[in-house]
Amino acid sequence: MADSSYPAELLYHPEHDWAQVDGDVATFGITWFAQDALGEVVFFDPPEVGSSVTAGESYAEVESVKAVSDVVAPLSGEIIEVNLGLGDTPEAINNDPYGDGWMVKVRLSDPSESDGLLDAAAYEATLS
């Protein structure tokens, strides 16, 4: 399992999701804290490419040995890519939550929404 970390280049939603914004496209995943709280991830139920997501609302589910949890979108937009590799290796969410464990790429409907997300220090402060 990866060490606790919160990369400075990412933005964070209080529901333990991260976004990496590049222009009008963002990559989403769950934070180290979220994957650690879930325990061993055994299944990722992805959304369909072309579906819409709304900031603060669920867009996918992650099943672990402990529970099934909703994954919350940190920003709004249209799903343009799903990490299909998680179908065969959902444990990548535990092993590399900010790399191979990414979940979806989204074309943002309003990139300015990212102004409402937390930086790494502010997110870590919510965990204490």
Side-chain angles (χ1 to χ4, degrees), residues 30-91:
I30 63 171
T31 66
W32 185 93
F33 177 86
Q35 66 78 29
D36 187 56
L38 283 168
E40 182 183 349
V41 174
V42 295
F43 184 72
F44 172 62
D45 184 17
E48 291 186 26
V49 171
S51 61
S52 296
V53 297
T54 302
E57 294 186 8
S58 174
Y59 69 90
E61 288 184 341
V62 173
E63 184 176 341
S64 72
V65 295
K66 293 181 180 178
V68 175
S69 297
D70 288 331
V71 181
V72 172
L75 301 166
S76 302
E78 177 187 352
I79 303 285
I80 58 172
E81 186 176 349
V82 171
N83 184 353
L84 297 176
L86 295 178
D88 292 331
T89 57
E91 65 274 13

Side-chain angles (χ1 to χ4, degrees), residues 8 17 26 33 45 52 62 64 82 92-94 104-105 115 128:
D17 303 277
F33 177 86
D45 184 17
S52 296
V62 173
S64 72
V82 171
I93 294 169
N94 295 115
V104 296
K105 292 184 187 281
D115 294 342
S128 57

